[in-house]
């Protein structure tokens, strides 16, 4: 079947849009009480637009579902404004590198609210974390245990020992893309429960007098739609964890989000309740702090990307290519994981979208897909602003300068005003690191 045989589709589903999405009298989509076309005109495209109300509500929902200790996984989208917002809304922050740690600290997030991850933390990253008094370090390997021990001998003694958790792999495969599965036996992350490595790591950390082992951590994967995957992992974890008598259990992130019409995902509460129930069945003491690290589910649907259409190429009997001014440099997910998105025109957000097109970027390779099979209103034309919703997670954070395309600006919108939280890169920025 050629692309032109595809059937007409409905407008983008409302639940894929940020919480303050509304239609103006002129039919334009408004977010945060601002017309998206005005944002494109003022700040240029490509542009990442985040609904601040949506971000705050998502953080609050996570805190309400999990309680104190729940951490925002900063890798999904991080800049100073986002770090501050998550902290203001009561979340801790999971940082997975010295770079993420630096951004969070420079945003003013107290070190005690940070939890450091990484399967290969450098000595420098560990030293920075220890010196600033980081809240938690999640230990991932025997080499890291040795590295920590050595470092703590050389650093000035502190009144409190650094709190660490041990990362374990429960041997549960989440039903998700293989690149974002992390909980199985064949994984670079953590210590396997089944092989006994996890128990050895616990013993080694208990013997290390310079750290305080406070808990166990696991993360089975990302974009998980199936609560039963979380339940299974929590059962394995709970069984391992209960006899240790430790006070904290962190089940990682992974809650999926709908990206396209027709998809739906569990809520934070459903995920938290299923996890807690599974832990209780395994004998985990009710006083244990069970928490999580949601990333995608906090930011994905809060963000929309705006592009401008530059060319429309109709290949008779094959397909129509619509090229925009961004692409795999601002959202590598379609290329990396074959991820699907919707596309729509903010000027007619409620219009039906009968025209099948392939939405592509401006990079010099055919794989540069934004939406491989998109449907748009038939009157789409060059100069139109086209939007892809649910692009708030792992888009900007995985953006690159491929083809020396400057990275887009990021704006937060709320109550009729927009603020630039990350400015657009300039051509000068592109040579900033060159000698
Ligand atoms: N905690 C740990 C230890 C993690 O490794 C991750 C994600 C999270 C929490 C947050 O997971 P989330 O709630 O966002 O699913 N780039 C991929 C996703 C990679 C996720 C890596 N780790 C994507 O674009 O789909």
């Amino acid at each position: 079947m050629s692309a032109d045989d595809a059937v007409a589709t409905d407008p983008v589903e409302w639940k894929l849009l940020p919480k303050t999405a509304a239609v103006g009298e002129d039919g334009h989509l408004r977010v945060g009480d601002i017309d998206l076309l005005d944002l494109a005109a003022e700040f240029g495209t490509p542009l990442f637009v985040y609904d601040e109300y949506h971000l705050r509500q998502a953080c609050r929902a996570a805190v309400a579902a999990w309680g104190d200790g729940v951490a925002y996984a900063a890798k999904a989208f991080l800049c100073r404004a986002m770090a501050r917002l998550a902290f203001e809304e009561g979340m801790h922050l999971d940082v997975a590198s010295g770079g993420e740690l630096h951004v969070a600290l420079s945003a003013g997030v107290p070190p005690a609210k940070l939890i450091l991850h990484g399967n290969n933390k450098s000595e420098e990253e560990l030293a920075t974390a220890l010196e600033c008094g980081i809240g938690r370090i999640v230990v991932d390997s025997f080499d890291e245990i040795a590295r920590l021990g050595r470092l703590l001998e050389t650093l000035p003694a502190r009144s409190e020992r650094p709190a660490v958790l041990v990362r374990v792999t429960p041997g549960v495969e989440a039903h998700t893309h293989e690149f974002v599965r992390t909980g199985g036996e064949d994984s670079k992350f953590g210590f396997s429960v089944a092989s006994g490595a996890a128990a050895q790591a616990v013993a080694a950390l208990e013997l290390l007098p310079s750290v305080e082992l406070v808990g166990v951590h696991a993360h089975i994967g990302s974009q998980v739609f199936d609560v039963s995957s979380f339940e299974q992992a929590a059962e394995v974890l709970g069984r391992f964890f209960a006899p240790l008598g430790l006070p904290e259990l962190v089940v990682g992130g992974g809650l999926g989000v709908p990206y396209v019409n027709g998809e739906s995902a569990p809520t934070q509460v459903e995920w938290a309740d299923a996890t807690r129930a599974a832990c209780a069945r395994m004998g985990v003491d009710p006083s244990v702090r069970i928490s999580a690290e949601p990333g995608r589910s906090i930011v994905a649907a809060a963000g929309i990307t705006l592009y401008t259409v530059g060319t429309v190429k109709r290949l008779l009997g094959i397909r129509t290519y619509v090229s925009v001014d961004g692409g795999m440099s601002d959202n590598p997910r379609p290329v990396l994981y074959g991820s699907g998105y919707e596309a729509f025109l903010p000027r007619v957000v409620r219009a039906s979208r009968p025209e099948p097109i392939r939405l592509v970027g401006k990079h010099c390779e055919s794989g540069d897909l934004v939406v491989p099979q998109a449907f748009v209103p038939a009157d789409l034309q060059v100069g139109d602003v086209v939007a892809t919703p649910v692009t708030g997670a792992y888009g900007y954070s995985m953006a690159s300068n491929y083809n020396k395309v400057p990275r887009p600006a990021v704006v937060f919108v709320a109550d009729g005003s927009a603020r630039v939280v990350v400015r657009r890169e300039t051509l000068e920025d592109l040579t900033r690191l060159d000698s």
Side-chain angles (χ1 to χ4, degrees):
M1 176 175 104
S2 93
D4 297 316
D5 298 325
V7 289
T9 64
D10 296 332
V12 63
E13 276 177 14
W14 211 249
K15 71 163 192 244
L16 298 178
L17 300 179
K19 285 190 194 302
T20 68
V23 187
E25 277 170 18
D26 50 8
H28 296 185
L29 177 61
R30 301 174 71 82
V31 176
D33 208 13
I34 309 188
D35 186 328
L36 289 188
L37 297 187
D38 291 344
L39 287 174
E42 185 176 352
F43 299 104
T45 57
L47 183 68
F48 282 91
V49 179
Y50 283 85
D51 178 356
E52 195 167 332
Y53 174 81
H54 187 127
L55 290 172
R56 290 187 185 279
Q57 287 300 116
C59 292
R60 284 176 204 175
V63 173
W66 292 97
D68 181 44
V70 62
Y72 166 59
K75 67 201 81 184
F77 166 62
L78 181 63
C79 62
R80 287 177 177 166
M82 184 63 215
R84 272 182 216 121
L85 183 150
F87 167 62
E88 282 163 14
E89 295 303 336
M91 295 192 84
H92 294 218
L93 261 78
D94 140 8
V95 290
S97 71
E100 290 182 359
L101 173 61
H102 170 75
V103 175
L105 289 174
S106 78
V109 178
K113 298 281 179 185
L114 301 178
I115 171 164
L116 178 67
H117 282 278
N119 66 302
N120 182 17
K121 305 177 191 75
S122 69
E123 206 153 294
E124 198 182 339
E125 288 172 322
L126 286 172
T128 309
L130 293 168
E131 278 161 5
C132 78
I134 197 154
R136 303 282 182 273
I137 295 176
V138 179
V139 175
D140 198 283
S141 66
F142 290 112
D143 292 310
E144 186 181 338
I145 297 178
R147 201 168 291 160
L148 262 178
R150 279 198 308 273
L151 260 175
L152 285 162
E153 278 168 21
T154 57
L155 292 175
R158 308 181 64 89
S159 52
E160 278 181 32
R161 292 180 298 159
V164 303
L165 290 93
V166 61
R167 174 152 178 181
V168 307
T169 43
V172 171
E173 291 291 5
H175 299 286
T176 185
H177 192 287
E178 69 167 307
F179 289 2
V180 295
R181 273 183 229 153
T182 48
E185 285 301 314
D186 183 0
S187 172
K188 71 169 181 168
F189 296 104
F191 300 93
S192 138
V193 170
S195 74
Q200 280 170 32
V202 166
L205 285 166
E206 276 172 341
L207 284 175
L208 200 63
S210 48
V211 300
E212 185 188 0
L213 177 64
V214 296
V216 169
H217 176 286
H219 169 79
I220 57 164
S222 196
Q223 186 57 1
V224 178
F225 274 137
D226 186 359
V227 171
S228 69
S229 292
F230 289 126
E231 268 178 340
Q232 274 176 48
E235 285 182 1
V236 178
L237 264 180
R239 196 177 303 123
F240 172 75
F241 176 83
L244 301 176
L246 295 171
E248 295 179 19
L249 180 60
V250 181
V251 297
L255 184 63
V257 302
Y259 278 95
V260 294
N261 282 8
E263 282 183 343
S264 62
T267 63
Q268 294 281 347
V269 170
E270 285 163 344
W271 175 28
D273 285 354
T275 301
R276 274 192 292 255
C279 288
R281 285 197 295 279
M282 294 299 123
V284 173
D285 194 273
S287 67
V288 168
R289 183 175 93 173
I290 299 174
S291 61
E293 298 162 343
R296 188 190 314 269
S297 52
I298 303 294
V299 291
I304 288 188
T305 310
L306 304 181
Y307 301 100
T308 302
V309 173
T311 65
V312 177
K313 214 172 262 183
R314 293 180 202 282
L315 306 185
L316 221 60
I318 303 176
R319 71 174 78 248
T320 298
Y321 280 90
V322 174
S323 302
V324 295
D325 49 357
M328 62 192 289
S329 56
D330 58 73
N331 186 2
R333 299 193 70 259
V335 184
L336 279 174
Y337 318 116
S339 312
Y341 289 90
E342 296 288 338
F344 66 94
L345 297 179
R347 67 173 165 81
V348 282
V349 60
R350 293 288 207 192
S352 66
R353 301 173 299 163
E355 174 121 358
I357 60 142
R358 173 163 284 182
L359 195 68
V360 296
K362 63 179 283 136
H363 295 277
C364 59
E365 52 182 284
S366 300
D368 174 25
L369 305 169
V370 178
V371 186
Q373 176 78 321
F375 292 87
V376 291
D379 66 347
L380 173 144
Q381 51 189 310
V382 169
D384 261 331
V385 171
V386 64
T388 48
V390 203
T391 45
Y394 303 108
Y396 192 85
S397 71
M398 295 201 296
S400 75
N401 283 132
Y402 185 36
N403 292 137
K404 291 293 182 206
V405 172
R407 274 174 292 194
V410 183
V411 296
F412 279 12
V413 294
D415 303 325
S417 60
R419 58 180 173 124
V420 175
V421 295
V422 185
R423 72 162 168 79
R424 183 177 302 284
E425 274 182 333
T426 62
L427 295 180
E428 290 71 51
D429 288 327
L430 297 176
T431 51
R432 216 175 16 169
L433 307 179
D434 292 14
S435 53

